[in-house]
């Protein structure tokens, strides 16, 4: 087995960058001190996340390709959640030197494929040795196309609250893996490979969204960020929350508090016409916080320091 | 002592972002799914680096403020090495939950102050719990001001090779710390807080530089990257290499192979007029590799997987 340590830093970088297709937004890709990426509207959207082994992924539960998909998806979703089109990803990888080169290659295949799905390219990065855990730092860039960003702070009393994409699947899949099961496969796969509906950003814009974000920490917690940033209250109607039977008996909990699906939540003026892919499950009101059927919901979301 | 775990993810983020001044290039700073940064020339320069505790810094040798300076400086220098002006930094921080909040605050003070020195702002990031080691992921963005990037691939036979900034100081300082000493203070401080001369980018452009990079892994190794990318050989004249007496008996080694000072190396047409802050120490020729007085130099540079 060929290991990363045997290959050395520059050998590994060469092996990895070879696997990365470069899209039209890339003016200068990997290999120099920095990349150069098109930012046609004179601004760039930028966001960064860290994924730490044991906390955000486990090598016995997810393969390297899955982890690449997930690492890319959660950052690309953050760009889309601003109402922007993803253009580029930069990857920092800290990895034990006894890891197989193929593991890193499959990770990069996942990163590259998810980028392609979102219209972006992996344009650069850094690889360093680590003692035990793998850490993946992902930065995503995007372009707003001359339009204002869709922030969390634009929700107004009277607005509709709606969601787009699978919610609760990843948490349900994680629970299965934690109990040693891998069926239903759809849930386990949803945990391994989130599928953010990237078209949600343009759909939300077209329907006049007043606020948009991706659901990464849990629906109620993330709606709480919109409520807080907008200075409003959000009222969820429990009977309007879609809970697929597949999610099992804890389905409602998974939908309301499960993170990592990278679906999208948005608020819209009350006369907005939403595509059928969006589900309205509440209203914006005056006040603060998030209520379900008029009361605070019991279970909390996901806090990386307390979980 | 207040710890990061006690404060929780969102409490910590709030404490840290409060310390970050936002410059004129920041259209939307920390707090949403992503930041929005001006990219006036329709492109953005982007680079990322990981710093892993025990490998790139030690908490017993450097304080958090030092580490912040260093983490920012090495990425800002990469932007300047493209001939661009730094605009923004994004920080990913994986940190054990039993770390004092003040440690993280001082780290961010260092990041913010070095950003200010280079004309940039910390616009966003992520904090996550880690089991033992601190990992800092830094992404830097920059603007080229409508000019082409200064890459590593433009060196031509006949060009002059010149450097700008302290070289060898950081390696000498590291050697002192490793042997339990902290004098001369200038060397130890140079290791703790590199001082890239950010004005070198504009100086190099004004003098017609054909290639530019920052010296991060060791002068000879980094010149090797220019030689390789440009398809040329670089000849260094040993008697033209400035070796300050302060560096001691291993001075030449430190200058030629020591990394992490983040000085700048460039090639210029042979009739270029260089500011006195630049030192010419060699020539570009046909061929490949880097020679010192016509021969390969013995000691190697810095490979993060092999060192």
């Amino acid at each position: 087995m060929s290991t990363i340590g045997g290959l050395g830093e520059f050998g590994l970088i060469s092996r990895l960058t070879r696997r990365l297709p470069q899209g039209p937004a890339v003016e200068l890709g990997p290999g120099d001190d920095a990349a150069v990426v098109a930012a046609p509207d004179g601004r760039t959207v930028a966001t960064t996340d860290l994924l730490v082994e044991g906390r955000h992924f486990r090598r016995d539960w997810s393969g390297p390709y899955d982890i690449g998909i997930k690492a890319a998806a959660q950052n690309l979703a953050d760009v889309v959640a601003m109402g922007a089109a993803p253009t580029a990803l930069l990857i920092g990888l800290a990895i034990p030197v006894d890891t197989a080169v193929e593991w890193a290659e499959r990770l990069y295949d996942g990163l590259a494929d998810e980028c392609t799905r979102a219209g972006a390219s992996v344009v650069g990065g850094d690889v360093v040795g680590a003692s035990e855990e793998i850490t993946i730092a992902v930065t995503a860039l995007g372009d707003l196309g001359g339009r204002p960003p869709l922030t969390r702070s634009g929700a107004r009393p009277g607005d509709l609250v709606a969601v787009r994409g699978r919610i609760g699947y990843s948490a349900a899949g994680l629970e299965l893996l934690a109990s040693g099961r891998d069926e239903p496969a759809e849930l386990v796969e949803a945990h391994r490979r989130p599928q953010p509906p990237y078209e949600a950003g343009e759909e939300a814009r077209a329907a006049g969204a007043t606020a948009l974000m991706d659901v990464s920490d849990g629906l109620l917690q993330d709606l709480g960020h919109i409520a807080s940033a907008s200075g409003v209250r959000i009222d969820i109607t429990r009977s309007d929350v879609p809970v697929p039977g597949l999610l099992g008996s804890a389905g409602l909990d998974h939908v309301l508090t499960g993170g990592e699906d990278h679906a999208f939540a948005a608020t819209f003026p009350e006369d907005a016409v939403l595509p059928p892919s969006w589900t309205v499950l509440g209203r914006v009101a005056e006040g603060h916080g998030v209520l379900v059927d008029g009361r605070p919901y019991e279970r909390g979301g996901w806090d990386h320091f307390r979980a």
Side-chain angles (χ1 to χ4, degrees), chain A residues 15-116:
Chain A
R15 283 275 283 268
L16 296 179
T17 54
R18 207 181 297 157
R19 308 174 88 84
L20 302 173
Q22 301 294 306
V26 185
E27 299 207 4
L28 186 68
D32 217 293
D33 291 293
V36 182
V37 180
D41 96 337
R43 298 169 294 174
T44 190
V45 168
T47 180
T48 203
D49 269 336
L50 280 181
L51 289 86
V52 178
E53 181 175 2
R55 194 167 287 261
H56 302 98
F57 64 88
R58 285 175 52 151
R59 275 190 268 181
D60 53 342
W61 287 356
S62 297
Y65 185 83
D66 300 329
I67 297 167
I69 295 276
K70 179 173 167 166
Q74 72 179 59
N75 284 276
L76 295 163
D78 277 330
V79 169
V80 168
M82 301 303 288
T87 52
L89 235 60
L90 295 104
I91 308 297
L93 174 64
I95 188 164
V97 293
D98 61 359
T99 312
V101 172
E102 198 194 8
W103 198 96
E105 289 180 328
R106 290 297 293 157
L107 174 76
Y108 271 68
D109 286 346
L111 290 163
D113 285 354
E114 190 64 16
C115 262
T116 300

Side-chain angles (χ1 to χ4, degrees), chain A residues 81-211:
Chain A
M82 301 303 288
T87 52
L89 235 60
L90 295 104
I91 308 297
L93 174 64
I95 188 164
V97 293
D98 61 359
T99 312
V101 172
E102 198 194 8
W103 198 96
E105 289 180 328
R106 290 297 293 157
L107 174 76
Y108 271 68
D109 286 346
L111 290 163
D113 285 354
E114 190 64 16
C115 262
T116 300
R117 199 166 85 80
S121 312
V122 178
V123 299
D126 187 25
V127 286
V128 302
S131 53
E132 289 178 27
E133 295 162 350
I134 292 176
T135 302
I136 308 167
V138 183
T139 299
L141 306 179
D143 186 72
L144 285 161
R147 302 158 310 177
L150 275 174
T151 66
R152 301 175 179 183
S153 58
R156 296 291 168 260
D159 282 357
L160 305 172
V161 177
V163 296
R164 165 79 161 93
R166 299 189 306 201
I167 305 187
Y169 284 57
S170 178
L174 179 62
E175 197 174 81
L176 289 172
L177 286 166
S179 63
R181 287 174 290 168
D182 59 4
E183 297 282 344
E186 188 179 351
L187 297 178
V188 171
E189 283 307 299
H191 174 72
R192 290 184 176 135
R193 302 184 187 184
Q195 295 181 2
Y198 297 120
E199 61 276 29
E202 289 304 318
E203 290 172 357
R205 266 198 196 279
T210 51

